Amino acid sequence: MRSRSDPFQILLVEDESADVHLVRQALKEGEVDCSLQHVVDGFEALEFLRRQVESERSPGLPDLILLDLNMPRMNGREFLAAVKADVRFVAIPVVVLSTSAVERDISQAFQLGAAGYITKPADMNEFFSSIHQLCRYWFALARLPKGD
Amino acid sequence: MIHDNTAPFDILLVEDEPADAHLVRSALQEGRIYCKLHHVVDGIDALAFLRHQGEQYQSVPRPDMILLDLNMPRMNGGEFLAVVKADEALKAIPVVVLTTSDVERDIIASYHLGAAGYITKPVDMEQFIDAIRQVGDYWFVLTRLPRKD
């Protein structure tokens, strides 16, 4: 079991390795006290969450999920719907991080319970600053459940 | 990241404490966020606002975001949140809790009900203003919100 003095845990669900690298770099540069777990699609992400609640030695559920939309096997929409329908996972905030600025994707994500929707900036510095702002909101400003 | 919404963002503040409503209004004015604040005093009034029930709510806009106090008379924040998130026509509106309570039970319950953030009101006025500005930055600058019809 964790206490709040432990670093925040982010689960990144993303099939694009370049974007994973960028998020990792942004967290490092921002000196955000958090650990990043990474899976490549919604199917793996659900498996990951189930392992966290089923294994006693696991570090527990993530504090925040960063979710890409377009992925093979199980996409972001399907994953979001599954998480928000499962009482064990429903309280975890899920923020969409996508290249899509399509209105249908945005409104659908909020309808499914997303707690934010960020379009990936093409510029690296802007990408970093978006991730930093995201972390400030969720880890400095907002109160999250203690995770135990 | 520039939004192409030409209308300002509409915030619905659900808060029974006039002093806190005043602070939120001041904070939004001091920040650089282009938004309009609509204020109601409890969950019942908030639902009437969202559903356009009653004469004064006939032509109000759909808010882009809701700032919600927890402890209010008639219908409290938790009850209101549950109703909004069970309503297909309203559930997409992000609801951020803004409260004095830092009780763990309230935090967990709010996220379970679908809150998109839980912020404890800072006692210090400057910190309060800064918190509201950060909320605005996250929802209206960083995040893409659904476009209004």
Side-chain angles (χ1 to χ4, degrees):
Chain A
M1 286 300 162
R2 290 176 310 129
S3 70
R4 188 68 299 165
S5 57
D6 291 342
F8 291 98
Q9 278 197 63
I10 299 177
L11 175 64
L12 174 64
V13 192
E14 170 68 77
D15 62 330
E16 198 59 64
S17 54
D19 289 342
V20 177
H21 180 71
L22 273 180
V23 172
R24 205 177 283 282
Q25 280 299 116
L27 293 174
K28 229 179 258 174
E29 283 217 0
E31 289 168 4
V32 184
D33 191 16
C34 67
S35 66
L36 186 73
Q37 303 285 333
H38 166 231
V39 292
V40 297
D41 60 37
F43 188 79
E44 265 196 28
L46 274 184
E47 286 296 301
F48 175 89
L49 294 177
R50 287 185 188 127
R51 271 201 309 278
Q52 300 310 302
V53 289
E54 279 156 18
S55 154
E56 277 181 22
R57 288 194 306 169
S58 72
L61 290 168
D63 297 289
L64 181 71
I65 298 174
L66 277 180
L67 179 67
D68 189 19
L69 286 185
N70 298 313
M71 294 174 296
R73 293 213 293 175
M74 181 189 272
N75 68 32
R77 287 165 285 271
E78 293 164 321
F79 171 74
L80 186 50
V83 163
K84 294 301 167 186
D86 191 321
V87 70
R88 297 171 300 173
F89 311 138
V90 66
I92 307 170
V94 180
V95 176
V96 171
L97 184 66
S98 169
T99 46
S100 163
V102 176
E103 183 60 23
R104 198 186 51 237
D105 286 338
I106 298 172
S107 52
Q108 198 177 27
F110 281 102
Q111 193 73 19
L112 290 171
Y117 188 108
I118 300 169
T119 48
K120 292 174 188 165
D123 176 81
M124 197 178 77
N125 287 326
E126 250 188 73
F127 193 105
F128 282 15
S129 105
S130 293
I131 297 296
H132 297 160
Q133 206 182 335
L134 175 85
C135 290
R136 272 201 305 279
Y137 179 81
W138 287 106
F139 302 149
L141 182 65
R143 300 285 304 260
L144 289 166
K146 280 206 180 75
D148 50 29
Chain B
M1 273 161 285
I2 297 188
H3 286 264
D4 43 12
N5 300 43
T6 46
F9 294 104
D10 289 288
I11 301 178
L12 178 62
L13 172 66
V14 192
E15 169 68 75
D16 63 328
E17 197 58 66
D20 287 346
H22 178 72
L23 271 180
V24 171
R25 197 176 289 279
S26 309
L28 290 171
Q29 267 159 9
E30 289 210 7
R32 54 215 145 74
I33 295 147
Y34 186 39
C35 66
K36 187 161 184 222
L37 188 72
H38 308 267
H39 173 221
V40 293
V41 296
D42 61 35
I44 299 276
D45 277 354
L47 283 178
F49 182 102
L50 294 171
R51 292 170 172 162
H52 304 289
Q53 290 160 345
E55 212 171 295
Q56 73 268 45
Y57 300 133
Q58 281 312 304
S59 55
V60 294
R62 175 185 170 91
D64 297 286
M65 194 257 275
I66 298 172
L67 275 176
L68 179 67
D69 189 19
L70 286 185
N71 298 312
M72 293 175 295
R74 297 211 297 167
M75 179 188 272
N76 69 32
E79 292 164 328
F80 169 76
L81 189 50
V83 173
V84 166
K85 293 301 166 184
D87 186 325
E88 286 299 314
L90 302 175
K91 67 194 291 191
I93 305 171
V95 180
V96 176
V97 171
L98 182 68
T99 176
T100 47
S101 163
D102 61 356
V103 178
E104 185 65 16
R105 197 184 52 235
D106 286 340
I107 300 174
I108 293 173
S110 297
Y111 283 106
H112 265 274
L113 290 170
Y118 186 107
I119 292 153
T120 50
K121 293 173 187 166
V123 179
D124 177 81
M125 203 177 80
E126 270 183 35
Q127 280 178 15
F128 193 106
I129 288 173
D130 189 55
I132 297 299
R133 202 172 46 221
Q134 284 190 59
V135 170
D137 281 346
Y138 179 80
W139 287 104
F140 304 136
V141 183
L142 182 65
T143 280
R144 299 289 300 254
L145 287 167
R147 208 189 297 249
K148 291 191 218 198
D149 302 323

